[in-house]
Amino acid sequence: RFKRVASRRVQEILSKMRLLRNCANKGNYSYTDEQVNKIVSTIDNEWKKVKSEFNKSKSKKEEFSL
């Protein structure tokens, strides 16, 4: 089930990212560096949350002992 759901979701994300990349065309859109930084920062922060969630399951297996 994971492979099916994750594959579909990743494909959707990649598709949306390609659409967002189209917004970089200065011939069709005007934008500021501040707007771009806000978009990139927001996406980067969300990506860090995703990575953190996947890494949580790995770190739960590690146990501390003396």
Side-chain angles (χ1 to χ4, degrees):
R1 180 172 176 238
F2 173 81
K3 286 173 67 174
R4 180 178 47 84
V5 171
S7 293
R8 188 181 78 241
R9 290 179 183 176
V10 169
Q11 189 56 48
E12 288 174 17
I13 290 167
L14 294 175
S15 176
K16 297 296 184 185
M17 289 178 76
R18 289 182 194 107
L19 289 175
L20 179 59
R21 188 172 60 211
N22 291 340
C23 291
N25 184 337
K26 287 254 184 188
N28 291 326
Y29 304 99
S30 62
Y31 48 85
T32 66
D33 287 343
E34 182 181 340
Q35 291 169 320
V36 172
N37 290 337
K38 188 172 183 177
I39 290 169
V40 172
S41 175
T42 300
I43 292 169
D44 188 45
N45 288 335
E46 196 62 32
W47 177 242
K48 287 176 185 176
K49 291 176 190 175
V50 170
K51 290 189 332 184
S52 175
E53 285 298 315
F54 276 104
N55 288 330
K56 268 187 195 178
S57 61
K58 290 180 184 178
S59 64
K60 286 181 182 178
K61 294 177 185 175
E62 297 174 16
E63 294 183 21
F64 175 78
S65 65
L66 292 175

